[in-house]
Amino acid sequence: MSSQTPPSPAAATEGEGAGPAVPWSGEDGRRGPFRVGERVQLTDPKGRMHTIVLEPGKRFHNTRGHIQHDDLIGAPDGSVVIHSTGAEWLALRPLLSDHVMSMPRGAAVVYPKDSAQIVGLADIFPGAVVVEAGVGSGALSMSLLRAVGEGGRLHSFELREEFAEIARSNARAFLGGDHPAWKIHLGDLAEQLPATLPAGSVDRVVLDMLAPWDCLEAVAGALVPGGVLICYVATATQLSRVAEAARDHGGFTEPKAWESMVRGWHLEGLAVRPEHRMHGHTGFLISMRRLAPEVAAPELARRPAKAGSDADVSAGGWTERFAAEDWTSENLGERWISPKKLRRVRRDQERQERLGSTRLERD
């Protein structure tokens, strides 16, 4: 798979509502002056940020006044624009991390701090064949596409078509078109992966889903020996269940789990101190490597528990008390997303895509 020539943008999204048929280039929209249809991040004198989509003749309004879009169109990245009050506002092209935090959302996004951990610690490399499930709003997908490059492949599996559409639109808005390495498959990864990709052809698998343990058999069949599986889960109950299921399977190395918490610092003169707020728990990451065929995972020497019976600490542990139907987004404390909100998000995205098409025609 990884040695094949990447398909054209149209071929990569055939039958999936592909966006504008433009020649793919990773640097498109990342350099040069601001153009119509682009997103621009404005920062006011107090450090508050606002993201706008440039349209000729329009104004960005806040409680004190406005900024003319025409003052930004054609200006270089990193410009200072004058607010109607006379204040100076900084204008920058958003980074990927900025885009992720401000883009339209269906499902909750994987935060940039976790995406960076996944790309780095799962060793996502240029040209890699990567599988992910599910797509959500496309935040992690964009980081993975950046890492695999045009010579790689990203196969994304998503159960809900609304989420897939939102993810595609968010990716187009930032990347400037449909990435040639990306293919979205609608359906259950556990059922579709064996029929979609040959056994032993996938380098990395990233699972962001409610019950990743249900996919271990399919993932094990698809991964190359030494390939990496990394799961992103929200709760300790899911974390424990994934670890025990991987040990029961026997085809993976001992799981490793961690979480990251980021604390910013206030820098103003001599007042150098931690910020009052921080990005705390967003999710747990658990990773493991695929063993070679017919190889059993070596048993690790473990110290026996001082309390509890053998049944309490056996494989599966207390998580086996919960039936499959108990593992729902509501029981795990995740927010339910209404169809009405998804329709509103798609309407906003379609309007922005029309603006982007206008910009391409003018260019």
Side-chain angles (χ1 to χ4, degrees):
M1 288 290 295
S2 60
S3 62
Q4 296 174 357
T5 303
S8 67
T13 54
E14 183 178 358
E16 298 181 1
V22 296
W24 171 257
S25 177
E27 67 270 13
D28 284 350
R30 306 306 304 154
R31 297 177 179 150
F34 296 133
R35 291 169 286 184
V36 173
E38 271 199 293
R39 281 182 170 82
V40 174
Q41 183 174 272
L42 300 174
T43 305
D44 69 16
K46 291 187 176 181
R48 293 172 297 203
M49 291 183 288
H50 312 266
T51 301
I52 64 172
V53 179
L54 294 179
E55 299 181 49
K58 289 205 68 174
R59 294 176 175 179
F60 162 74
H61 288 270
N62 68 344
T63 56
R64 292 175 176 266
H66 64 267
I67 288 175
Q68 299 279 359
H69 285 214
D70 290 339
D71 292 343
L72 289 165
I73 296 171
D77 198 353
S79 293
V80 172
V81 64
I82 305 301
H83 192 270
S84 60
T85 61
E88 294 183 335
W89 287 47
L90 179 63
L92 288 164
R93 187 171 277 118
L95 303 176
L96 176 56
S97 57
D98 300 320
H99 178 69
V100 164
M101 299 308 295
S102 64
M103 69 187 187
R105 301 183 187 183
V109 301
V110 176
Y111 274 61
K113 70 181 183 69
D114 296 317
S115 294
Q117 294 264 313
I118 290 170
V119 170
L121 295 176
D123 190 29
I124 311 293
F125 57 89
V129 178
V130 179
V131 166
E132 72 159 338
V135 177
S137 297
L140 178 59
S141 303
M142 286 184 277
S143 291
L144 295 174
L145 287 169
R146 279 276 188 85
V148 302
E150 298 178 46
R153 291 287 192 285
L154 175 62
H155 293 271
S156 302
F157 291 80
E158 175 55 56
L159 288 171
R160 299 182 61 175
E161 186 173 3
E162 314 97 295
F163 287 173
E165 288 298 331
I166 290 171
R168 287 191 194 101
S169 182
N170 284 333
R172 287 178 194 138
F174 185 76
L175 300 173
D178 292 308
H179 199 291
W182 198 17
K183 177 76 173 180
I184 298 180
H185 309 267
L186 290 176
D188 187 351
L189 177 139
E191 298 175 358
Q192 292 198 7
L193 181 57
T196 303
L197 296 171
S201 64
V202 176
D203 298 300
R204 305 289 186 262
V205 175
V206 184
L207 301 181
D208 174 16
M209 56 198 305
L210 289 174
W213 49 87
D214 290 338
C215 301
L216 289 183
E217 192 60 42
V219 167
L223 275 174
V224 300
V228 178
L229 165 62
I230 188 164
C231 304
Y232 179 80
V233 294
T235 67
T237 50
Q238 292 168 290
L239 182 68
S240 176
R241 183 73 180 267
V242 174
E244 297 299 347
R247 292 178 182 128
D248 286 346
H249 183 278
F252 297 94
T253 59
E254 178 66 13
K256 297 179 180 179
W258 71 97
E259 65 175 331
S260 62
M261 290 176 278
V262 176
R263 182 175 68 178
W265 278 66
H266 176 85
L267 300 172
E268 187 175 341
L270 296 177
V272 180
R273 54 170 174 74
E275 296 280 3
H276 297 307
R277 295 183 179 181
M278 66 177 290
H279 294 297
H281 172 78
T282 49
F284 297 104
L285 290 167
I286 179 169
S287 68
M288 59 207 78
R289 304 283 298 273
R290 180 70 171 105
L291 295 173
E294 310 301 327
V295 173
E299 291 189 12
L300 297 180
R302 300 179 186 276
R303 300 179 68 179
K306 294 182 179 179
S309 65
D310 291 341
D312 292 331
V313 295
S314 62
W318 58 272
T319 59
E320 293 297 333
R321 295 204 308 266
F322 298 95
E325 57 270 19
D326 293 331
W327 298 89
T328 64
S329 56
E330 290 80 7
N331 286 343
L332 292 168
E334 295 188 4
R335 180 169 55 88
W336 181 75
I337 303 163
S338 69
K340 181 178 179 181
K341 178 184 177 180
L342 293 174
R343 289 194 296 271
R344 184 174 69 250
V345 169
R346 281 299 298 142
R347 283 197 301 269
D348 292 342
Q349 288 182 321
E350 288 167 359
R351 178 175 174 275
Q352 292 170 2
E353 288 177 357
R354 287 195 296 271
L355 289 172
S357 298
T358 303
R359 181 195 62 152
L360 290 171
E361 293 172 1
R362 293 184 179 182
D363 290 348

